[in-house]
Amino acid sequence: MSHAPQRKEKNCLNCGTIVQGKYCQNCGQANVEPKESFWHMLSHFFNDITHLNGSFFTTAKDLFFKPGFLSKEYMKGRRVRYLHPIRLYVFTSAIFFLLFFTYFVSGESIMTNVDRPATIEERNNYISKLEASLKKDAKNIWLKERIAFAKDTTHQLMSTDLVKTSKTNSLQISFSENDFKTLAAYDSAQQLKPANERGGWIDRRLKMIEIRMNQKIAENPKEAVKKFVEIVLHRLPYMLLISLPFFALILKLVYWRRKQFYYADHGVFTIHLYVFTFLILLLIFALQKAENKFHWSFAGTIATGVIFLLFFYMYAAMLRFYEQSKLKTFLKFILVNLLALAMMLILFIIIIFFSAATF
């Protein structure tokens, strides 16, 4: 509701109708002064998003303490008291990713963690794996050098050394057995093969991605990995948004015999579940950051408990919304999570592929 002063003139600025009250009876626009302060504009924008006149706090309270209740109310048509699911999702996801990228994770922070000195346990595990590989390939000079390097207590073994897989002592990407430095070399090798043995469009695309990534890694490995991680991270919001209708489809398939639930009903349930998940993830990230910064061991324990709370919330929400027995709901809860995990893995692989393609 606008708090701007009402105009003395009675003509609606939007449609020209003579207004009989504060709001135009024809188009609904408030007959208030069009000039407004920046603070009023900002508060009006925030109120439009959150409906701070009561619905936002009512929605938040019922979302947290009554799993599945909001979705059920929306399905029954009781909607005025609550924030619209789409608006709730947009507002919550915007806050989540703003805090996520600002305070919790970035390509730089990940690379800082990768470059830390390895612990004694990590060093010993690394040496054990190298020695096991050396037994299978006793003539491998590179393995012998890496074992000697790792055992040298005067050298600070970095965690990046633990993930290097190339015998040339550099990180490389490979989608096939043959390595080509340029795309032209790959095309030339393809021309020498019979037509029925040449790689198709997908094979050429993968090889192009491989060559470009290896070239950038060779130039600056740390900067290349950092950039790639940042590209992937900034595509996560799109992955979650795309996953939302697929998750609703999973629910539709699992509850296909419940004809009273339309696809949109499953969609609303999914939105409320995602919103709660965003908020819980923020709490988990905050606890983990507190554990790392202040060395609060109990924060990690609480974070683990919150993860279990998330799964319990989903089960309770399904139990209330779909109104089936506890056993049947539990079995469907397991099935939905397995299908959702497979769906997320597929989407993540696609995100990785497109991130590599634009790297």
Side-chain angles (χ1 to χ4, degrees):
M1 181 180 294
S2 176
H3 297 286
Q6 189 171 346
R7 294 174 65 242
K8 295 180 181 179
E9 297 82 1
K10 297 300 181 182
N11 62 307
C12 177
L13 294 176
N14 183 56
C15 65
T17 302
I18 300 301
V19 181
Q20 298 179 359
K22 187 173 182 179
Y23 296 93
C24 175
Q25 63 273 17
N26 183 47
C27 67
Q29 177 171 292
N31 187 31
V32 296
E33 291 293 339
K35 301 293 184 181
E36 56 183 352
S37 65
F38 175 77
W39 173 251
H40 179 268
M41 187 182 301
L42 186 64
S43 61
H44 187 72
F45 167 75
F46 192 73
N47 287 339
D48 278 347
I49 293 178
T50 61
H51 277 196
L52 285 179
N53 54 353
S55 61
F56 176 77
F57 296 107
T58 302
T59 302
K61 176 177 67 68
D62 289 341
L63 177 71
F64 273 100
F65 300 107
K66 298 180 180 179
F69 178 78
L70 286 179
S71 306
K72 201 168 188 63
E73 289 288 280
Y74 190 89
M75 184 180 173
K76 291 179 178 178
R78 301 169 185 165
R79 304 173 183 179
V80 177
R81 296 179 56 204
Y82 309 104
L83 200 62
H84 192 277
I86 299 294
R87 182 174 293 179
L88 179 65
Y89 177 84
V90 171
F91 177 73
T92 309
S93 62
I95 296 297
F96 172 79
F97 285 107
L98 177 65
L99 296 176
F100 179 75
F101 290 118
T102 304
Y103 296 107
F104 298 125
V105 68
S106 66
E108 184 67 37
S109 63
I110 290 176
M111 289 309 301
T112 300
N113 186 59
V114 169
D115 279 345
R116 63 173 174 77
T119 64
I120 296 176
E121 183 180 359
E122 288 174 335
R123 182 197 300 262
N124 292 337
N125 290 337
Y126 178 59
I127 294 173
S128 298
K129 291 179 180 179
L130 290 177
E131 289 177 339
S133 299
L134 187 62
K135 290 180 180 179
K136 300 177 182 179
D137 186 9
K139 297 181 180 180
N140 194 317
I141 299 176
W142 180 84
L143 285 174
K144 294 179 180 179
E145 291 177 351
R146 294 307 301 167
I147 293 173
F149 173 78
K151 288 183 176 180
D152 183 4
T153 56
T154 62
H155 187 90
Q156 287 292 323
L157 180 66
M158 308 302 287
S159 59
T160 45
D161 293 311
L162 305 181
V163 297
K164 291 180 179 178
T165 57
S166 172
K167 293 183 180 180
T168 59
N169 198 26
S170 64
L171 182 64
Q172 291 188 0
I173 306 298
S174 180
F175 297 119
S176 61
E177 295 180 359
N178 299 318
D179 294 327
F180 297 97
K181 300 300 181 184
T182 64
L183 191 60
Y186 168 76
D187 290 334
S188 299
Q190 290 292 303
Q191 293 299 322
L192 298 176
K193 296 181 179 180
N196 61 338
E197 295 182 6
R198 295 173 186 172
W201 180 87
I202 295 179
D203 185 72
R204 189 177 189 276
R205 188 72 178 174
L206 288 174
K207 185 55 64 176
M208 181 175 67
I209 293 172
E210 173 190 320
I211 292 170
R212 184 168 63 247
M213 291 185 72
N214 283 332
Q215 287 175 344
K216 292 189 176 183
I217 289 173
E219 294 172 2
N220 190 334
K222 181 179 178 179
E223 186 63 29
V225 175
K226 174 190 169 185
K227 181 180 178 182
F228 181 72
V229 169
E230 288 180 343
I231 291 174
V232 173
L233 288 176
H234 283 86
R235 279 187 164 85
L236 287 181
Y238 303 105
M239 187 188 84
L240 291 174
L241 182 61
I242 294 171
S243 72
L244 199 152
F246 285 107
F247 192 94
L249 180 60
I250 290 174
L251 290 171
K252 177 66 176 177
L253 295 174
V254 171
Y255 288 96
W256 69 275
R257 296 181 64 182
R258 308 299 301 279
K259 303 301 182 184
Q260 70 270 35
F261 293 98
Y262 295 95
Y263 178 76
D265 298 325
H266 299 294
V268 170
F269 178 84
T270 302
I271 288 174
H272 287 142
L273 182 63
Y274 271 46
V275 168
F276 181 81
T277 302
F278 284 145
L279 298 175
I280 288 299
L281 286 177
L282 284 179
L283 177 59
I284 292 173
F285 293 148
L287 289 169
Q288 290 177 340
K289 197 172 186 67
E291 181 184 19
N292 295 332
K293 187 174 182 179
F294 303 108
H295 305 290
W296 292 346
S297 58
F298 66 88
T301 304
I302 295 175
T304 303
V306 171
I307 294 174
F308 285 104
L309 174 64
L310 179 59
F311 286 102
F312 175 77
Y313 180 93
M314 179 179 173
Y315 169 74
M318 291 174 63
L319 188 64
R320 170 176 277 161
F321 184 67
Y322 294 106
E323 296 181 331
Q324 290 188 322
S325 67
K326 293 181 180 180
L327 178 59
K328 186 176 290 187
T329 300
F330 180 75
L331 294 176
K332 290 187 176 182
F333 165 79
I334 298 296
L335 179 60
V336 167
N337 277 281
L338 290 175
L339 292 175
L341 177 61
M343 178 263 294
M344 285 294 188
L345 287 175
I346 293 172
L347 289 178
F348 187 71
I349 291 172
I350 294 174
I351 289 293
I352 292 290
F353 176 79
F354 279 102
S355 299
T358 58
F359 181 57

